[in-house]
Amino acid sequence: MTSLQKAGTNKYLKAIRLINLDNDDCSFESGKIPVQQHINASYFFAKTDVSTLEGIPHPAPRRQYVITLKGKLKFSVTNGETFIIEPGIILIANDTKGIGHTWEIIEGEEWERIYIPLEEDTADLFIAD
């Protein structure tokens, strides 16, 4: 079996979704998103700068997918729980209210990522575990 054939056998990508709770605290859920789905987004942008928000609590500025290309990070949410984001795990940032989340680089010195902002009423396609 070729690597192309192997790639076609997996129908989902691992994902973690940041969410707001009723009191605007931030939490997360683990799950997946289906591959080969259209996302209703009008643009994307890349970013490597980590100096402005590393270690500082903040909500997502908008609902968006965050695709890590390089780096390994530990994210923390309001109640102190943590999770790891690295290449191969899609982050869906839906925590647009309250204190938000924090993150820190735990492996490497850079966080290369692509942001795909979601249109206002677009489903994020997330399926919880």
Side-chain angles (χ1 to χ4, degrees):
M1 183 180 291
T2 69
S3 60
L4 184 57
Q5 288 169 320
K6 286 180 186 176
T9 61
N10 190 358
K11 295 181 175 151
Y12 298 96
L13 296 173
K14 184 173 181 179
I16 296 176
R17 179 167 64 176
L18 289 166
I19 57 171
N20 284 120
L21 303 174
D22 289 338
N23 60 358
D24 290 342
D25 280 349
C26 177
S27 189
F28 69 92
E29 34 188 11
S30 297
K32 59 192 175 188
I33 59 171
V35 298
Q36 298 182 355
Q37 293 292 316
H38 292 279
I39 301 169
N40 194 8
S42 57
Y43 68 100
F44 73 93
F45 60 98
K47 194 165 187 178
T48 59
D49 182 30
V50 295
S51 61
T52 56
L53 291 176
E54 184 173 11
I56 299 171
H58 61 281
R62 70 195 72 74
R63 292 176 56 244
Q64 59 192 1
Y65 279 45
V66 184
I67 292 97
T68 296
L69 304 174
K70 181 179 179 183
K72 186 174 185 177
L73 296 95
K74 180 171 77 171
F75 276 71
S76 299
V77 294
T78 310
N79 69 358
E81 290 183 345
T82 64
F83 62 89
I84 303 296
I85 288 290
E86 59 189 332
I89 302 173
I90 307 299
L91 177 66
I92 303 170
N94 278 347
D95 64 325
T96 58
K97 303 175 195 166
I99 295 170
H101 58 274
T102 61
W103 55 264
E104 65 178 304
I105 295 176
I106 59 173
E107 194 173 289
E109 296 182 18
E110 294 182 296
W111 181 22
E112 291 181 5
R113 63 222 184 258
I114 293 174
Y115 290 95
I116 304 173
L118 298 170
E119 298 286 336
E120 187 67 29
D121 294 322
T122 297
D124 61 23
L125 306 175
F126 182 80
I127 301 165
D129 285 342

